[in-house]
C-alpha cells in the first residue's frame, strides 16, 4: 500500500504537482496542460533555476514527475524534469519516494497511470491541475488525457484563494477538512471555488465536480465537521476545497471562493496556527478537566495547573483514547505522550511545589508504587485510599491521615500539592539515592580538543575566553548564593591533559595521561573544584591553554577515551555531572573508539543505508551505558570541516541525554556568536542529573516504547544521565485491555533525579485522558503537532534498522489509513472523490510531507551523511514545539514590519509563491535563520538593516546583523531575538539574496514546495494521500 | 712482622688494595690448601689527594687479547723505545709521543711510586650528571614536608649543569615535565599496569628519532628542544621551577580506607624512571634516587597487599614459603636493575618507614647498580637528612664524591686467574684468558660494571692460582695484577684509573712461614665474610654457618701449632690470632643471622657490608667498644659483657649504630644532676667525652648511623647487649662469681666456649 500510496499519488502528480507550490497559484485548475505550469515555472525558475523551461514541459508531459511517485513510473520520467533541470535527478531519486520528490514542478507526471489512481487521477489531476494549476497541469490525469483538459484552465494563475472557497463554508465546524478526493471522480470536483475559476471544484469536497478544474476544492466542506474540507481533492491540493479554509474552516471559515486547487485552498498550517492563537491565545488554560485538548504549541497562553500536568510538560497525540485495542488498530492513530519533564515554564506560572514527607518519603500505592496524586480516591472516612492506577486499596499512613469532607475529598485537598495539582516534586529520601547515600553536587567538566586545527582557527582561545565569563553563571538552586556545581578541565589531542586547579595552588598543574587504551583519572583533589574558590587558578589556566598548545602540531585526536576519562572522573568523585566536549575531527589516533572515514555514498538508497546511521564500532554503546550508570551526561560541540562520523560520535551524547551541536566549517569571526550562545545556554539551562523516569498508567494500557535521549536497561525504567529543560521523551502506549470511559486513561510520569545542588528529588506529572468508544471522539481529540513528533521519532529510530524506503512507505500508509478510517467512520457521507480531513488533522498531510522530505529520510547522496545523522539525533529529543518548527519553519515578511509595534508580522506559508521580489523575508526552523532579500527589496529597508545603499552592496557573509540606530534595524533585531528566544539551539543567520547561488539552501526550507533534492510538494503529497485513501476506502 | 703491617698499610694507602695473602703460594694445589683464597679488597676510586690525574691516555699493550696498560713493572728498553708487557710479554713500541723518554725522563706510569695512575680521557662527549628523583607521596604530612625540604636543599648542592628530573608516585605515577613555563605539567601513569620500556617511551613521547645524547647541548635547547629535555633539565634553568614544584607536592590525594595501606606504585614508578633514562640517556652516568615511605602495594613489584591485617612478609614467612609476592616482585626489580645497569644508571633507595618497605625485593636495584641504600624511620630525622646531604659531599677538589658508569677490568699474569668479584657490580660477561672456570662471587668474566661508585666503594676480588705444582716459579718470581677502572668522573670527565700490583710467589711447602707471615687476617676476615654473605643470599643460613666453621677449622688445622688431640696445646701465630674472633662475631652478626632482623634489615645490612672498605667492614663484623671512666683516658675494651661496668661509660660503634651506654652508677649520678654542679665538672666532662667522640664518627660515616643514648637498664641497651660477647650469662653468672660485668640473658655461646670448641676440633684428627 504504502507504496502505492505514493504511487497513487501520481495521479495527482500528474497534476503537476511538481509545481507544487508554485503551481498553486497558477494553476489551480488549470489543467495541467496549460500551463499553469509556466508560471510555476517561473518562479521556480528563479530559484530553482532551470525550472522554468522544464516547467513547461511538464505540462506537456506531465508524467514525469510522477514516476516519482511511484507508480507511474512510467511516465514519470519523461517529462519530469522539465521543470527543473535539476530536479530531474530528483526524480530519479524519486523513485523511491517518488512521489515527492519530483522536482517540484515536475509535476508528477501524470503518471497517474496507475490504475487505481486513475480514478483519482483524474480528479486529482484535475485537481491538481487546478491546484497547481499551473503547470502541471494536470498531470494528473493521467497525464494524458484528462488532465489536460482540465487543467488547462485555470491556468490562471493563482488566484489565490480561490480554492478554498467555501471552505469557509466549510468552515465548518467540522473540522475535517476534507479533501476531496480522488475518489471522486476524476474530474474533479473541482471545484467550487468558484473563484478560481473554474470554480470547479467546489468546495466541499464533495463535490468534486468537475474534475478538472475544479479540483480545487472548494472546499467543500461538505462534511460536516470533519472534513469536509476536503472537497476536492483536487489533488489534494485542491481538494481541499476548503482549502485552506479548512483550517479556517473551522474557524475562520472564510474561505473564499476559490478556484481550483489553489494552494490556498488546501489546509494551511499558518491558518490553523493563527486560528488557535486567535481563539485561545493570551487566555488562561486551566487543567481541571480530564481529556481536554490544550492550545497548540504555537499559541501563547497562561496555564494553570488544576489537577493535570501542564501541556508544557506532557502533550499527547490524542486526549481521548479508544476504549479497545481493536478501535485503536482500526484508527491507527498512535497513542503517545511527549513528556518534557523539565520544561521551562514562564515566570507568570507557578513553579512546582516541593512536597516533603520527611523520613518516610512519598506516599505510594503498595501495589503499583504510583505516587500520591489527585487520582487517588480516599475512602472509608479518609483511612484508606484507592489507587487510580491499579485500583488497589491502601491504608493511609497515620501521619498522612486527614478527614474527608462531604464530597469525599480530604479537608486538606487544597493544601497539599500532591492532592490538587498535576505536577509537583517530592523530596526523595535516602532510599532513592545510589548506595543510600545523599548524592554529591554534580560537576561540569570541560574537555577541549587542542589539536592543531582548533588552535589554529582560534577556537581554543575563543572557548577559553568564553568560559571565564560563562562560568559565573553556573546554574544554581533557587536560593543558593553560589552554584554548588563543581567544574573541571581537560584538554586533549591524542593524549589527555587533566588540570589541577585547586584553589591553594599558585598556578594550575597539568597532568598528561597518555595511556588512552585504559584511561584513568590521575588526580582526585583539585580536579573538580568550586569555580568561586578557584577562580584565579582557573583564569590562569584558561589564559594559558591557548598558548600552551600554540606550537602543537598534533593532528590526531581520540574521542572515546575522552568520554571515558570524564566519566571516570565523575565516578571517582562520586557525583553525577555533565561533560562539555569541544571536538572537531574524526578520532583517528590509536585508541578505543578509533574511527575510519566510512562515508560511503554508494550505500545510499540500498538496504545498507542504515549502516550510515549506526555507530562504526561497538565501543560507543557500552561506553554510553557506563556513562548512564554513573550519571555522566555528555554534550558535544562539533566543529567539523569534513566527515567526522556524527553517527558514531553522537551516540554517547544521544544516549546520555546530552546535546549535540554542530558547526560546519566553523570560522571564528563568523560563527562565534552562534556557538557562544549555544554554550551559554547549555551551561545555564535547567537540568536534572542521574535521572530515572518511570511512566505508570492506569489499567488497560501501558507504555511500550520510549524515544529520546535515554538508555533503557529494561522495559520500564527510562534511565537518563541527565535531562534538561529542552529534552522530551516520547512514550508510546498500547492497550492491554479495555479502557473504561468512566475512569479514563491516567498517566503518571515520575522522574527521580539529582538537582544541581545535589538534592535527590522526584518530579511527578499526572495527566488524565478520556476514553471513548466512538472513533469520532478520538479524532476530535488529536493533536497533529504531537502526532508528527511521534512519527518523526519513531521513523528516525527505525532508520537504524530498516531501509528508508520502507519507513517512508509506512509513514504514508499510516497517514492514509488514519484519514481513511476517519472518512469511513466519522465523516458524513460524501462523494468518494472528496478528500475529507478531520479538523484536528487538517494539517497532518502537510506536516507529514515535511517529515518525509527531511534529509534524514531522503536518500540523496548530495546530502552530507553527517548532517543526516545530526538531524536524526536532534529530532530524537525534541519536544512538540521544537519539532513543529523544525518541520514547518516560520516564514515572515519583514518588509511589512511595523516598526512601531512589537508584534511580529504574521507568518506566511513556506512556499516560494509567497515570496515577492520586493520583499524581505525571515525564515527560521530552530536551527537556521535565513534573511531572504528579494532583488527589488526596498532600498530604504536595505539601508536600514545593513547600512549599505543597495541590494547589490549587501554582504552576504555576515552572520549577525549590524547594530544600527534606526528603527528598522532595531525592530528586526529585536524580532530575531524574540524568535530565537524559546529555542534550544542558537539559529545561524544566513543572508540570502534572491537569484544567487546560496538561495538553493534556503529553498529547501520552503517545505510546501517540491524539494530540491526530492520530496514532493504539499499539493502533490495531498493528492497522493488522497489517492491512497480512496484506495483504502474502496 | 711490623714490616708486613707497614707494607700492607702502605699498599692500601697507595693502591686501595689489600690482599688476603701478600706472598702467594705458587701452585694451585697449595693455594687451595691455604683455605682462605687468594683475594683482595679493592677500593677502585680510593681518594688520593696526592695523585693528580695525568692528562693523556694510557699506553696499551698491542696484543689484542691483553691490552694491559703500561706500568712500572714493565721492562723498558729506552734506547729501542720498546717496552715488554709484564702480563703477556709482548714487546711493544712506544707511541710517538714517548719519543723523548729515557731512564731519567720517565713518564709517571713507569715510576714505581705510581703503581696507581689516573688518566683523563679527552675524547668523547661529556655528559652532565643526571639526577632523577623518584618520590613517594604516600607519606605522613611532616615526613613529606621534611623530604621536600631535603630535596629542595639538594638542588642547591647539584652542579648547575646537572640534569634533574622528577617522578612522583602514589596510587598513580607522575612524570613531571620541567620545561614548561607558567604551568606545571606532568605525565601520569596508572600504578597497576606493567608497561614495557617501549610503551613507556611511547607514552612519554620519547620515541621520535633517536635522540643523540648530547646532553652537553643544553646550551641551545631553544632551537632544538630535544624531546628528552622535557623531563630532564639543567638545574640552573629550572631551579626555581623545581623548587616551587617540590614545594607544592601534595600527599597522595586518594583516600585510604580504614584498615588499608595506601596504594603505592613503586614498581611502576621505578620502571618508568628506568625506561625514561634508558630512552634518553643510555650509557650516560645517571642516578635514580628513589624515596619511599612504605612498601609497594600495587602493580608490578608489589610486596604486600593493601590490607593492613595482612602483615608484610617476615623471615618466618619466607622460610615457610609464605611470602606470596616476593618472588614476583624480586623478579620485577631484578629486571629493572639489570636494565639500569646495562645502561650505566645507578639506583639509590632511601626508605624511611617504621615498618618494612620491601628492601628485600628491591635490594638488587642498589646492589647491582652501585646505588645507595638508606634505611630510616622517617624522613624527618637527622639520620636521613644528614645521610642524604652527605651524598652530595665534595672532595678536596670540589668534586662530588661520586662516579658513574664504571667498568672494572682485571688483568692477571699467567699463573693467576680471576674467579669473581663481590660488591656493587654486575658482570659484563667478558671472557678472556685470565678468567677462571671456578666462580667465587660474580664470576665468569674479567670485567664488571659498577654504575655508581664513590671513593669508599669496595669490591672483593677473588683469584685462583692456576700454576701447576710441577711448573715451579723461579725464586723471586712475582705475580702481577692490573686493575683498570674506566669511569665517568663527577666533573663529567671520562677517566681511567690503573693500579698494577705485584707480589712474590713462594713455594708453600718450603716457604710456608713466609706465606703465613704475609697473611692479612683483617682482609681475610672481610673477604671470607663477603663470601659468606654472598652465599647467604642464596643458601640457607645454617649451611653458610657450617661452611664458615669448616673453613675456620681447616685454617686452624693448617696454620695452628698444636699437638694432636690436645686442645690445650693449640696456638695461632700473631698473623692469625684475631681471625677466629672475627669469625665468632661474624657468625653472630646480622649479616648471617636473621633472627631478630626483618628481611629488609638483613638486606640493608648486607648491602652495606658488600660495599664498605676494610675498616668499616671490620667494624661491622666486630663492633668497637670504647670505655670512658675516671680511671684514665678512654680506651678500647673487649667487646665482652665483662666490659659493662657500673662506673664506666661505653661507646659502641657497630657501623649502623652508635650506642652510648651509661653504667649503672654513672646513670645514677647523672640523674642526681651532679654534672650540673660546679664541683663535679669533671663528671660533666666525662659525660661529654663520648658524645664528642660519637659526633666525630657521626660526621664521617655514610650512611649516618642510628645514634642511641642509653643507660644501664634502658630498653635501648639491648643494642649493646646483643653485640657483646656473652661471657656472662644467666647461666654462668654465679659460677663466675665476679662482680664485674653484666650478665646477658642469652643462650648464645660465648667466645670462650667457641674457642674451646674450635681448639678441640682443630686438634682432633677426626676431621
Amino acid at each position: 500500500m504504502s507504496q502505492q500510496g505514493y504511487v497513487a499519488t501520481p495521479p495527482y502528480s500528474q497534476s503537476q504537482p511538481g509545481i507544487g507550490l508554485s503551481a498553486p497559484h497558477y494553476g489551480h485548475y488549470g489543467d495541467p496542460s496549460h500551463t499553469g505550469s509556466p508560471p510555476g515555472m517561473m518562479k521556480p525558475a528563479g530559484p530553482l533555476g532551470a525550472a522554468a523551461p522544464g516547467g513547461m514541459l511538464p505540462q506537456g508531459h506531465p508524467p514525469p514527475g510522477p514516476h516519482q511517485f511511484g507508480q507511474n513510473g512510467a511516465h514519470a520520467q519523461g517529462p519530469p524534469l522539465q521543470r527543473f533541470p535539476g530536479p530531474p535527478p530528483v526524480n530519479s531519486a524519486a523513485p523511491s519516494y517518488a512521489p515527492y520528490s519530483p522536482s517540484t514542478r515536475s509535476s508528477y507526471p501524470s503518471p497517474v497511470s496507475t490504475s487505481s489512481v486513475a480514478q483519482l487521477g483524474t480528479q486529482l489531476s484535475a485537481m491538481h491541475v487546478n491546484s497547481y494549476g499551473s503547470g502541471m497541469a494536470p498531470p494528473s490525469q493521467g497525464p494524458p488525457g484528462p488532465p489536460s483538459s482540465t487543467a488547462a484552465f485555470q491556468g490562471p494563475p493563482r488566484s489565490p484563494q480561490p480554492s478554498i472557497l467555501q471552505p469557509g463554508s466549510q468552515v465548518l465546524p467540522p473540522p475535517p477538512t476534507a479533501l476531496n478526493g480522488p475518489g471522486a471522480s476524476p474530474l474533479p470536483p473541482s471545484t467550487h471555488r468558484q473563484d478560481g475559476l473554474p470554480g470547479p471544484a467546489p468546495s466541499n469536497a464533495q463535490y468534486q465536480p468537475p474534475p478538472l478544474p475544479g479540483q480545487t476544492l472548494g472546499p467543500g466542506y461538505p462534511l460536516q465537521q470533519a472534513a469536509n474540507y476536503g472537497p476536492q481533492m483536487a489533488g489534494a491540493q485542491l481538494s481541499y476545497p476548503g482549502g485552506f479554509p479548512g483550517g479556517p474552516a473551522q474557524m475562520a471559515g472564510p474561505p473564499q471562493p476559490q478556484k481550483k486547487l489553489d494552494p490556498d485552498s488546501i489546509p494551511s498550517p499558518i491558518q490553523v496556527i493563527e486560528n488557535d492563537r486567535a481563539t485561545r491565545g493570551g487566555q488562561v488554560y486551566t487543567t481541571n478537566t480530564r481529556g481536554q485538548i490544550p492550545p497548540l504549541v504555537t499559541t501563547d497562553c497562561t496555564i494553570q495547573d488544576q489537577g493535570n500536568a501542564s501541556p508544557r510538560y506532557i502533550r499527547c497525540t490524542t486526549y481521548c483514547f479508544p476504549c479497545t485495542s481493536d478501535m485503536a488498530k482500526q484508527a491507527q492513530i498512535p497513542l503517545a505522550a511527549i513528556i518534557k519533564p523539565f520544561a521551562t515554564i514562564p515566570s507568570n506560572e507557578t513553579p512546582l511545589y516541593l512536597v516533603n514527607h520527611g523520613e518516610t518519603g512519598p506516599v505510594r500505592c503498595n501495589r503499583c508504587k504510583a505516587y500520591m496524586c489527585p487520582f487517588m480516591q480516599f475512602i472509608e472516612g479518609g483511612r484508606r485510599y484507592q489507587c487510580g492506577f491499579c485500583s488497589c486499596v491502601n491504608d493511609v499512613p497515620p501521619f498522612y491521615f486527614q478527614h474527608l469532607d462531604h464530597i469525599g475529598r480530604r479537608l486538606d485537598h487544597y493544601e497539599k500539592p500532591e492532592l490538587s495539582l498535576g505536577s509537583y516534586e517530592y523530596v526523595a529520601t535516602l532510599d532513592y539515592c545510589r548506595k543510600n547515600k545523599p548524592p554529591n553536587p554534580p560537576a561540569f567538566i570541560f574537555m577541549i580538543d587542542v589539536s592543531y586545527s582548533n588552535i589554529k582557527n582560534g577556537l581554543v582561545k575563543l572557548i577559553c575566553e568564553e568560559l571565564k565569563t560563562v562560568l559565573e553563571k553556573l546554574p544554581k538552586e533557587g536560593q543558593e548564593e553560589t552554584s554548588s556545581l563543581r567544574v573541571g578541565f581537560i584538554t586533549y589531542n591524542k593524549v589527555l591533559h587533566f588540570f589541577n586547579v585547586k584553589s591553594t595552588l599558585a598556578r594550575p598543574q597539568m597532568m598528561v595521561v597518555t595511556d588512552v587504551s585504559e584511561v584513568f583519572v590521575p588526580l582526585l583533589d583539585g580536579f573538580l573544584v568550586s569555580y568561586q574558590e578557584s577562580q584565579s587558578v582557573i583564569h590562569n589556566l584558561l589564559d594559558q591553554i591557548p598558548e600552551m598548545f600554540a606550537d602543537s602540531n598534533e593532528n590526531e585526536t581520540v574521542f572515546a577515551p575522552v568520554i571515558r576519562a570524564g566519566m571516570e572522573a565523575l565516578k571517582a568523585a562520586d557525583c553525577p555531572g555533565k561533560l562539555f566536549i569541544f571536538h572537531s575531527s574524526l578520532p583517528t589516533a590509536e585508541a578505543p573508539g578509533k574511527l575510519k572515514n566510512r562515508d560511503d555514498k554508494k550505500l545510499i538508497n540500498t538496504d545498507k543505508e542504515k549502516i550510515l546511521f549506526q555507530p562504526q564500532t561497538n565501543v560507543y554503546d557500552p561506553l554510553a551505558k557506563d556513562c548512564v550508570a554513573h550519571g555522566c551526561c555528555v554534550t558535544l560541540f562539533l566543529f567539523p570541516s569534513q566527515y567526522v562520523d556524527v553517527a558514531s560520535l553522537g551516540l554517547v551524547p544521544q544516549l546520555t541525554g546530552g546535546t549535540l551541536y554542530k558547526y560546519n566549517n566553523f570560522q571564528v569571526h563568523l560563527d562565534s556568536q552562534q556557538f557562544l550562545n549555544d554554550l551559554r545556554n547549555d551551561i545555564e539551562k535547567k537540568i536534572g542529573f542521574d535521572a530515572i523516569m518511570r511512566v505508570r498508567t492506569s489499567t488497560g494500557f501501558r507504555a511500550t516504547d520510549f524515544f529520546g535521549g535515554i538508555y533503557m536497561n529494561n522495559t520500564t525504567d527510562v534511565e537518563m544521565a541527565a535531562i534538561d529543560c529542552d529534552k522530551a521523551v516520547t512514550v508510546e502506549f498500547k492497550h492491554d485491555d479495555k479502557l473504561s470511559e468512566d475512569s479514563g486513561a491516567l498517566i503518571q510520569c515520575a522522574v527521580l533525579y539529582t538537582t544541581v545542588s545535589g538534592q535527590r528529588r522526584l518530579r511527578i506529572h499526572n495527566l488524565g485522558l478520556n476514553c471513548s468508544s466512538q472513533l469520532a471522539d478520538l479524532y476530535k481529540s488529536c493533536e497533529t503537532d504531537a502526532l508528527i513528533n511521534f512519527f518523526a521519532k519513531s521513523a528516525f529510530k527505525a532508520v537504524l534498522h530498516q531501509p528508508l524506503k520502507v519507513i517512508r512507505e509506512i509513514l504514508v500508509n499510516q497517514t492514509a489509513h488514519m484519514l481513511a478510517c476517519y472518512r469511513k467512520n466519522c465523516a458524513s457521507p460524501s462523494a468518494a472523490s472528496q478528500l475529507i480531513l478531520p479538523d484536528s488533522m487538517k494539517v497532518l498531510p502537510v506536516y507529514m510531507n515535511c517529515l518525509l522530505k527531511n534529509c534524514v529520510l531522503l536518500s540523496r547522496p548530495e546530502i552530507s551523511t553527517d548532517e543526516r545523522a545530526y538531524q536524526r539525533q536532534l529530532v530524537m529529543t525534541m519536544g512538540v514545539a521544537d519539532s513543529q518548527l523544525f518541520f514547518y519553519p516560520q516564514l515572515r515578511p519583514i518588509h511589512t514590519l511595523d516598526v512601531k509595534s512589537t508584534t511580529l508580522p504574521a507568518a506566511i506559508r513556506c512556499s516560494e509563491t509567497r515570496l515577492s521580489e520586493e520583499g524581505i523575508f525571515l525564515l527560521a526552523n530552530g536551527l537556521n535563520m535565513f534573511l531572504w532579500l528579494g532583488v527589488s527589496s526596498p532600498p530604504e529597508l536595505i539601508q536600514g538593516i545593513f547600512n549599505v545603499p543597495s541590494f547589490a552592496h549587501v554582504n552576504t557573509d555576515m552572520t549577525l546583523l549590524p547594530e544600527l540606530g534606526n528603527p528598522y534595524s532595531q525592530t528586526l533585531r529585536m524580532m530575531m531575538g524574540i524568535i530565537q528566544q524559546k529555542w534550544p539551539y542558537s539559529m545561524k543567520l544566513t543572508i540570502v539574496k534572491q537569484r544567487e547561488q546560496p538561495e538553493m539552501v534556503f529553498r529547501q526550507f520552503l517545505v510546501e514546495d517540491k524539494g530540491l533534492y526530492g520530496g514532493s510538494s504539499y499539493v502533490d503529497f495531498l493528492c497522493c494521500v488522497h489517492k491512497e485513501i480512496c484506495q483504502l476506502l474502496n | 712482622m711490623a714490616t708486613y703491617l707497614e707494607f700492607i698499610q702502605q699498599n692500601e694507602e697507595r693502591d686501595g688494595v689489600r690482599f688476603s695473602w701478600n706472598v702467594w703460594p705458587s701452585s694451585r694445589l697449595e693455594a687451595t690448601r691455604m683455605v682462605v683464597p687468594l683475594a683482595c679488597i679493592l677500593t677502585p676510586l680510593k681518594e688520593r689527594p696526592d695523585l693528580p690525574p695525568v692528562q693523556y691516555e694510557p699506553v696499551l699493550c698491542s696484543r689484542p687479547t691483553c691490552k694491559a696498560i703500561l706500568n712500572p713493572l714493565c721492562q723498558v728498553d729506552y734506547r729501542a723505545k720498546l717496552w715488554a708487557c709484564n702480563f703477556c710479554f709482548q714487546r711493544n713500541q712506544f707511541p710517538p709521543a714517548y719519543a723523548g723518554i729515557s731512564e731519567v725522563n720517565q713518564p709517571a706510569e713507569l715510576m714505581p711510586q705510581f703503581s696507581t695512575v689516573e688518566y683523563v680521557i679527552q675524547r668523547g662527549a661529556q655528559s652532565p650528571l643526571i639526577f632523577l628523583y623518584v618520590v613517594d607521596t604516600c607519606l605522613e604530612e611532616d615526613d613529606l614536608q621534611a623530604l621536600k625540604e631535603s630535596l629542595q636543599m639538594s638542588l642547591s648542592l647539584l652542579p648547575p649543569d646537572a640534569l634533574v628530573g622528577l617522578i612522583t608516585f602514589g596510587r598513580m605515577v607522575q612524570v613531571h615535565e620541567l620545561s614548561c613555563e607558567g604551568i606545571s605539567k606532568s605525565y601520569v601513569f596508572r600504578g597497576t599496569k606493567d608497561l614495557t620500556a617501549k610503551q613507556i617511551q611511547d607514552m612519554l613521547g620519547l620515541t621520535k628519532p633517536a635522540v643523540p645524547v648530547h646532553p652537553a647541548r643544553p646550551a641551545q635547547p631553544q632551537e632544538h628542544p630535544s624531546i628528552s629535555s622535557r623531563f630532564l633539565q639543567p638545574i640552573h634553568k629550572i631551579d626555581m621551577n623545581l623548587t616551587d614544584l617540590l614545594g607544592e607536592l601534595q600527599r597522595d590525594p586518594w583516600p585510604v580506607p580504614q584498615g588499608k595501606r595506601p596504594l603505592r606504585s613503586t614498581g611502576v614508578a621505578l620502571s618508568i624512571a628506568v625506561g625514561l633514562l634508558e630512552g634518553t640517556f643510555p650509557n650516560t652516568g645517571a642516578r635514580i634516587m628513589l624515596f619511599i615511605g612504605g612498601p609497594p602495594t600495587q602493580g608490578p613489584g608489589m610486596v604486600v597487599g593493601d590490607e593492613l591485617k595482612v602483615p608484610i612478609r617476615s623471615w618466618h614467612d619466607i622460610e615457610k614459603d609464605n611470602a606470596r609476592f616476593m618472588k614476583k616482585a624480586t623478579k620485577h626489580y631484578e629486571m629493572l636493575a639489570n636494565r639500569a645497569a646495562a645502561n650505566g644508571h645507578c639506583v639509590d633507595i632511601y626508605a624511611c618507614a617504621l615498618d618494612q618497605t620491601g628492601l628485600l625485593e628491591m635490594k638488587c636495584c642498589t646492589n647491582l647498580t652501585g646505588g645507595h641504600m638508606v634505611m630510616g624511620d622517617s624522613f624527618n630525622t637527622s639520620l636521613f637528612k644528614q645521610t642524604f646531604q652527605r651524598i652530595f659531599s665534595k672532595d678536596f677538589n670540589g668534586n662530588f664524591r661520586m662516579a658513574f658508569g664504571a667498568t672494572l677490568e682485571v688483568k692477571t699474569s699467567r699463573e693467576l686467574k680471576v674467579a669473581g668479584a663481590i660488591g656493587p657490580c654486575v658482570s659484563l660477561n667478558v671472557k678472556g684468558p685470565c678468567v677462571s672456570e671456578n666462580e667465587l662471587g660474580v664470576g665468569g668474566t674479567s670485567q664488571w660494571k659498577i654504575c655508581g661508585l664513590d671513593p669508599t666503594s669496595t669490591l672483593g676480588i677473588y683469584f685462583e692460582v692456576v700454576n701447576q705444582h710441577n711448573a715451579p716459579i723461579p725464586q723471586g718470581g712475582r705475580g702481577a695484577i692490573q686493575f683498570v677502572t674506566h669511569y665517568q668522573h663527577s666533573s663529567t670527565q671520562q677517566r681511567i684509573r690503573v693500579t698494577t700490583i705485584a707480589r712474590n710467589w713462594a713455594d708453600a711447602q718450603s716457604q710456608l712461614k713466609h706465606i703465613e707471615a704475609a697473611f692479612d687476617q683483617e682482609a681475610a676476615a672481610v673477604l671470607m665474610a663477603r663470601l659468606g654473605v654472598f652465599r647467604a643470599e642464596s643458601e640457607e643460613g645454617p649451611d653458610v654457618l657450617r661452611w664458615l666453621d669448616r673453613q675456620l677449622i681447616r685454617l686452624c688445622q693448617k696454620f695452628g701449632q698444636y699437638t694432636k688431640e690436645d686442645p690445650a696445646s693449640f696456638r695461632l701465630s700473631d698473623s692469625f690470632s684475631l681471625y677466629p674472633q672475627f669469625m665468632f662475631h661474624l657468625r653472630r652478626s646480622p649479616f648471617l643471622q636473621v633472627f631478630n632482623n626483618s628481611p629488609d634489615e638483613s638486606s640493608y645490612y648486607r648491602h652495606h657490608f658488600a660495599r664498605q672498605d676494610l675498616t668499616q667492614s671490620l667494624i661491622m663484623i666486630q663492633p668497637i667498644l670504647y670505655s670512658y671512666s675516671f680511671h684514665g683516658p678512654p680506651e678500647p675494651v673487649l667487646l665482652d659483657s665483662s666490659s659493662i661496668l657500673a662506673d664506666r661509660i661505653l661507646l659502641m660503634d657497630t657501623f649502623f649504630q652508635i650506642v652510648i651506654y651509661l653504667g649503672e652508677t654513672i646513670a645514677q649520678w647523672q640523674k642526681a644532676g651532679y654534672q650540673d654542679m660546679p664541683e663535679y665538672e669533671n663528671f660533666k666532662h666525662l659525660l661529654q667525652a663520648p658524645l664528642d667522640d660519637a659526633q666525630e664518627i657521626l660526621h664521617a660515616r655514610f650512611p649516618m648511623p642510628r645514634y642511641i643514648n642509653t643507660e644501664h637498664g634502658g630498653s635501648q641497651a639491648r643494642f649493646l647487649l646483643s653485640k657483646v660477647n656473652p661471657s656472662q650469662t644467666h647461666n654462668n653468672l654465679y659460677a663466675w662469681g665476679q662482680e664485674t660485668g653484666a650478665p646477658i640473658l642469652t643462650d648464645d655461646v660465648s667466645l670462650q666456649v667457641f674457642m674451646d670448641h674450635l681448639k678441640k676440633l682443630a686438634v682432633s684428627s677426626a676431621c
Side-chain angles (χ1 to χ4, degrees), chain A residues 825-965:
Chain A
N825 299 293
C826 307
S828 53
S830 57
S833 66
Q834 198 167 18
L835 175 57
I836 302 181
L837 302 177
D839 193 45
S840 66
M841 294 184 186
K842 238 183 313 193
V843 291
L844 181 64
V846 62
Y847 283 178
M848 182 58 75
N849 188 32
C850 294
L851 167 59
L852 288 164
K853 286 160 81 170
N854 180 272
C855 67
V856 176
L857 295 182
L858 273 188
S859 301
R860 298 293 303 181
E862 295 89 340
I863 305 169
S864 114
T865 306
D866 274 350
E867 187 62 27
R868 297 173 73 192
Y870 172 62
Q871 295 202 7
R872 188 189 84 80
Q873 175 154 351
L874 288 193
V875 169
M876 290 310 288
T877 59
M878 278 184 177
V880 179
D882 300 337
S883 57
Q884 190 276 332
L885 182 70
F886 181 72
F887 290 113
Y888 195 91
Q890 277 181 14
L891 178 62
R892 295 175 193 267
I894 297 303
H895 51 284
T896 63
L897 194 66
D898 176 1
V899 297
K900 297 190 194 66
S901 136
T902 56
T903 52
L904 306 180
I908 58 173
R909 299 173 64 170
C910 293
S911 166
E912 189 193 354
T913 54
R914 312 285 163 171
L915 303 177
S916 74
E917 290 190 354
E918 301 81 33
I920 295 181
F921 296 84
L922 184 66
L923 180 142
N925 77 336
L927 283 185
N928 296 288
M929 214 185 263
F930 291 91
L931 192 59
W932 183 89
L933 311 174
V935 282
S936 313
S937 311
E940 66 278 9
L941 215 48
I942 296 278
Q943 176 73 43
I945 297 170
F946 298 101
N947 202 23
V948 295
S950 74
F951 175 80
H953 290 82
V954 174
N955 171 10
T956 56
D957 284 347
M958 65 178 77
T959 53
L960 270 185
L961 294 181
E963 291 188 32
L964 303 172

Side-chain angles (χ1 to χ4, degrees), chain A residues 495 497 499-500 502 504-525 540-541 544 548-549 572, chain B residues 172-174 177 180-193 195 202-205 241-242 244-245 248-250 253-255:
Chain A
V495 298
H497 319 107
F499 293 95
N500 184 346
K502 202 172 170 174
T504 52
L505 294 177
R507 51 183 198 176
Q509 292 175 349
M510 174 193 215
M511 311 181 101
V512 185
V513 170
T514 50
D515 187 359
V516 289
S517 61
E518 228 181 303
V519 169
F520 58 97
V521 184
L523 76 174
L524 186 57
D525 203 19
N540 184 334
L541 171 67
Q544 288 193 54
M548 226 180 308
F549 300 100
Chain B
M172 312 273 171
V173 180
Q174 279 178 268
E177 184 174 319
C180 16
E181 300 289 326
I183 190 163
S184 54
K185 180 172 173 186
S186 57
Y187 284 66
V188 188
F189 295 81
R190 204 188 266 280
T192 50
K193 198 166 172 184
L195 298 167
D202 281 347
M203 288 177 174
L204 290 175
N241 248 351
L242 184 53
D244 291 349
L245 185 60
E248 279 184 350
L249 271 192
Q250 298 292 317
W254 302 89

